[in-house]
Amino acid sequence: MPCPHRLVHSGNKKSHPVMLPPLLSTPSRHAPLERVVAWALAVLLTACAPTPERRGAPAAEWLPSPNFNERRPTYVVLHHTSNDTVERALRTLTDPVREVSAHYVIARDGKVFQLVDERYRAWHAGRSQWGSDFDLNSSSIGIELDNSGDEPYPQAQIDSLVRLLADIQARYRIPAPNFLGHADVSPGRKVDPSAWFPWRLLARYGFGLWCDPPFAPAPASFDPMLGLATLGYDTRNAAAAIHAYKLRFAPNDPGPILTQDDSERLYCLLARRAEALP
């Protein structure tokens, strides 16, 4: 019996089975029963297998090559949803009119939702830059945390995040410096995951950089703005870059000026970055 989805319809509405190529040789009538059953099952599965779809020029002859890779993310960008419930955030992130999404959403109770296949480009970072990368949507996995931006993150939520990041890091070998916040890659435009986010804790697990005082003195020739750019920040708007840096690494001192402590911390972070990156 042909598979239902392998039927084609002619003009008189009668259904006819699609003729499939003989991929398997027919066993002889003297073959053992087990082989006959296995052959019949293989033929049935072949007939019922869905035809793979492809994206490309319709007029081109499809001659598939095995020499390709799927998208391989090299960054993780963390966000907060700015919503009061995860249900509202999920509605926003799955609304085709809003045109925003993320690969994952983590609720306050730690439940993890996946919205976009990791192989695909979610729309979470928007206009963004980190170092020489000007399109973080194409190179990152986006994770939204159900949080208003004005509240601490529950332990259950952070525990789930750590487990998810460990899984992602193991599969893609993403180095510690490449775990970022939305504010890092969009300074002046975004502030998430906010000053409440426990970056120091995540760095202990290998997700992001961190330096605790006391810091070693930076050389007299050290240029902190050049240091921010080397770390990855877009420094074309110096005030925005400084604010994003301090929001993450010195949230208790949100002033617009880089202090000596800020410069020494930055020098330490650059040393940690050099150790972590290949």
Side-chain angles (χ1 to χ4, degrees), residues 12-254:
N12 61 6
K13 306 295 183 181
K14 292 180 65 177
S15 298
H16 304 279
V18 173
M19 299 302 294
L20 298 173
L23 300 178
L24 300 170
S25 60
T26 306
S28 72
R29 59 192 180 93
H30 302 294
L33 178 60
E34 292 84 355
R35 184 183 170 196
V36 174
V37 172
W39 173 85
L41 181 59
V43 170
L44 180 61
L45 291 176
T46 300
C48 293
T51 303
E53 296 182 359
R54 68 178 176 98
R55 177 181 297 178
E61 180 180 351
W62 176 232
L63 186 63
S65 170
N67 306 321
F68 66 93
N69 298 95
E70 294 177 349
R71 184 190 87 114
R72 186 177 183 85
T74 54
Y75 296 94
V76 173
V77 178
L78 302 176
H79 309 253
H80 65 241
T81 60
S82 298
N83 288 122
D84 53 358
T85 68
V86 71
E87 291 79 14
R88 181 172 295 179
L90 291 171
R91 284 197 299 271
T92 298
L93 294 167
T94 56
D95 183 348
V97 176
R98 301 295 294 272
E99 296 189 340
V100 291
S101 61
H103 294 92
Y104 295 97
V105 175
I106 304 180
R108 287 172 170 84
D109 64 2
K111 184 174 181 179
V112 180
F113 300 86
Q114 183 169 3
L115 279 59
V116 178
D117 190 308
E118 290 178 0
R119 295 172 297 175
Y120 303 139
R121 181 181 183 271
W123 303 342
H124 62 96
R127 191 172 68 254
S128 54
Q129 179 186 347
W130 189 251
S132 59
D133 192 324
F134 288 82
D135 181 12
L136 272 295
N137 275 344
S138 294
S139 58
S140 69
I141 290 175
I143 301 175
E144 291 272 2
L145 297 160
D146 178 28
N147 185 283
S148 67
D150 298 316
E151 58 182 324
Y153 288 83
Q155 189 61 49
Q157 189 176 45
I158 296 301
D159 289 345
S160 287
L161 174 63
V162 168
R163 287 192 293 269
L164 177 59
L165 293 180
D167 176 65
I168 291 171
Q169 187 181 58
R171 286 186 285 110
Y172 297 112
R173 300 290 187 264
I174 297 176
N178 290 7
F179 290 83
L180 307 168
H182 201 182
D184 294 321
V185 302
S186 299
R189 193 173 70 85
K190 295 294 181 179
V191 296
D192 48 324
S194 85
W196 290 100
F197 189 75
W199 282 111
R200 183 175 183 269
L201 173 65
L202 259 67
R204 287 171 51 193
Y205 289 102
F207 312 128
L209 298 175
W210 192 263
C211 284
D212 280 318
F215 308 113
S221 60
F222 180 64
D223 180 349
M225 290 309 299
L226 180 58
L228 285 178
T230 303
L231 192 60
Y233 286 98
D234 176 4
T235 57
R236 289 174 294 180
N237 182 334
I242 291 171
H243 181 262
Y245 166 75
K246 298 185 81 165
L247 181 66
R248 174 168 175 176
F249 295 106
N252 295 325
D253 178 23

